[in-house]
Amino acid sequence: MNLILLGPPGAGKGTQAKLLEQKLNMLQLSTGDMLRAAKDKESEIGKKIKLIMAEGNLVTDEIVIELISENIDKSSKCAGFIFDGFPRTLYQADALSELMSSKKQSIDLVIEMRVDDSQLIERIVGRYSCKECGEVYHKVNRPEQKKGVCDNCKSINGFIFREDDTEEALRTRLFNYYRETSSLIGYYYAKKKLTTVDGLLPIETIHDLLYQATKNNL
Ligand code: AP5
């Protein structure tokens, strides 16, 4: 069972991927997380990726396809993949389809998480994560239970904001979403893979909907 979570920046893809991963022995493959790990390396390519991401632009198809391909090859012992933030272009979607076919697998379900643009800014500027384990929080919607202590790893080493979580970078990210990624909604609808959920519902309610939809396909 392989699932794609599709939606604009701040739709809740990462939050939901992590919750599903814990329950269903699936593996989250987030190209955003992979690129953030790559940009922290002091290589030439790492520096280029850092700049592109900080501005909110898309990294080249070749780089992200290679990252996804490497990670699929490394991970055989899971019940399926949750693609989070990938594919983001029609080229990436075709490449993923070929990659899956070459492994005798397929994309079984694509869930579009729909959120009004006006809500995204509030979600993005309020987001922070644990320095140690990366657990994601929100100032209003999901603060840590005990102030300054990560719910997940209990670290007291503090929290960080993402470099691209600014109003200016978000505008570019949204622009790129509508220009490059939103056509994938029609692409997967035509392939009869698409389901849409209301991304404005509470986190737990969305999780229940996604869990049922995913489990029905396992
Ligand atoms: P990436 O890391 O994929 O970022 P994104 O797609 O912009 O998505 P986000 O991580 O911002 O949001 P999310 O939907 O995961 O929301 P979250 O669950 O955190 O990509 C970053 C960059 O990497 C790109 O701009 C690009 O440069 C590059 N890149 C990545 N993949 C690429 C690709 N395939 N090709 C080319 N370039 C690529 O939730 C957001 C906040 O809202 C959190 O604080 C959360 O607590 C809160 N929240 C979540 N759900 C709810 C809810 N239901 N109600 C209230 N609050 C909620």
Side-chain angles (χ1 to χ4, degrees):
M1 158 65 189
N2 297 302
L3 164 72
I4 294 174
L5 294 181
L6 191 61
K13 306 180 295 291
T15 301
Q16 295 299 333
K18 290 229 154 48
L19 291 171
L20 281 179
E21 192 180 38
Q22 287 160 14
K23 267 201 192 160
L24 292 171
N25 187 33
M26 293 177 78
L27 184 74
Q28 175 195 21
L29 292 180
S30 156
T31 38
D33 287 348
M34 292 170 199
L35 289 165
R36 276 183 284 282
K39 85 176 166 62
D40 292 337
K41 293 185 185 138
E42 281 302 307
S43 58
E44 276 313 304
I45 186 80
K47 285 180 200 157
K48 274 188 198 158
I49 291 173
K50 188 175 164 65
L51 195 66
I52 294 170
M53 289 178 80
E55 287 171 345
N57 283 312
L58 294 184
V59 174
T60 63
D61 288 335
E62 288 66 26
I63 291 177
V64 288
I65 291 165
E66 195 177 325
L67 282 172
I68 280 287
S69 175
E70 278 172 11
N71 279 276
I72 287 179
D73 285 343
K74 275 194 267 173
S75 347
S76 54
K77 287 185 186 150
C78 60
F81 299 112
I82 306 167
F83 293 97
D84 161 10
F86 181 90
R88 256 176 156 98
T89 62
L90 287 168
Y91 187 86
Q92 291 178 21
D94 284 339
L96 179 61
S97 174
E98 279 172 32
L99 196 59
M100 290 279 103
S101 298
S102 73
K103 315 240 171 257
K104 310 238 176 311
Q105 292 196 47
S106 60
I107 295 299
D108 304 288
L109 182 64
V110 178
I111 300 183
E112 179 207 358
M113 303 183 61
R114 199 173 283 174
V115 176
D116 289 347
D117 294 343
S118 59
Q119 299 291 316
L120 297 174
I121 181 74
E122 184 260 331
R123 286 202 187 172
I124 289 291
V125 298
R127 172 169 55 188
Y128 57 98
S129 56
C130 171
K131 244 185 201 171
E132 295 302 323
C133 72
E135 184 77 1
V136 174
Y137 297 94
H138 188 275
K139 279 183 197 165
V140 180
N141 305 330
R142 209 218 144 194
E144 69 278 17
Q145 283 167 11
K146 189 172 172 204
K147 197 161 172 44
V149 183
C150 175
D151 296 350
N152 183 47
C153 71
K154 310 295 172 217
S155 162
I156 50 164
N157 290 341
F159 299 95
I160 43 170
F161 288 89
R162 256 167 60 174
E163 216 178 332
D164 58 346
D165 277 353
T166 61
E167 278 198 53
E168 200 187 344
L170 176 66
R171 266 195 292 278
T172 308
R173 286 158 68 191
L174 259 183
F175 177 76
N176 285 320
Y177 177 75
Y178 287 113
R179 192 178 63 173
E180 304 284 350
T181 312
S182 59
S183 52
L184 296 181
I185 296 166
Y187 175 97
Y188 287 114
Y189 175 79
K191 286 177 180 270
K192 296 194 171 145
K193 306 282 184 197
L194 190 78
T195 297
T196 300
V197 299
D198 179 358
L200 288 170
L201 293 168
I203 292 174
E204 280 310 321
T205 312
I206 298 174
H207 171 60
D208 290 344
L209 293 170
L210 264 55
Y211 177 71
Q212 277 314 324
T214 309
K215 217 166 158 240
N216 291 343
N217 275 274
L218 275 176

